[in-house]
Amino acid sequence: MLLSSKGANPYSRLFYFYLKGKVEQMIVNLNFYRTIIIRPSSLIRPNSNRLGERIGVKILKGFNRVGLFRSYRPVSVSRVASKMRAEVRNVVACGLTVVENDSI
């Protein structure tokens, strides 16, 4: 299981998304029997001391209230963890599973 990021793309011009995309690509190329990639948007972390992160989450929430950038809606770390547990328990799946932010 790999915790990646919404917007991960090995061809992105933005370094963060490029790096996440390259890591995903490298993991998939290892051909594990089962690979799960989770791609959340901004994480809501309790007691975060990162000012930029807190401001970014508030801005995204504001946009979401008026109907903008809904696919980039911030998600809590506990919700991401719950989705990760649920995906691991899904023994029916094999191969590659990519879970986008909208499904978390």
Side-chain angles (χ1 to χ4, degrees), residues 43-46 75-85 104:
L43 296 174
I44 301 170
R45 300 182 313 137
V75 61
S76 70
V77 291
S78 60
R79 203 165 169 170
V80 172
S82 293
K83 185 63 175 180
M84 291 169 81
R85 282 191 303 270
I104 299 175

Side-chain angles (χ1 to χ4, degrees), residues 25-102:
Q25 197 175 50
M26 293 166 73
I27 294 296
V28 168
N29 288 341
L30 291 173
N31 293 317
F32 289 116
Y33 174 75
R34 184 173 183 207
T35 303
I36 303 167
I37 298 174
I38 308 287
R39 290 182 179 161
S41 183
S42 296
L43 296 174
I44 301 170
R45 300 182 313 137
N47 305 319
S48 174
N49 61 357
R50 295 179 176 178
L51 181 61
E53 183 178 277
R54 289 188 315 216
I55 291 170
V57 165
K58 286 182 181 183
I59 290 171
L60 274 173
K61 282 183 173 182
F63 281 135
N64 293 165
R65 281 190 200 105
V66 296
L68 300 172
F69 304 113
R70 290 203 182 236
S71 67
Y72 283 89
R73 132 186 92 65
V75 61
S76 70
V77 291
S78 60
R79 203 165 169 170
V80 172
S82 293
K83 185 63 175 180
M84 291 169 81
R85 282 191 303 270
E87 287 298 323
V88 165
R89 290 182 181 141
N90 181 5
V91 294
V92 177
C94 66
L96 175 63
T97 303
V98 178
V99 180
E100 296 290 349
N101 194 58
D102 295 337

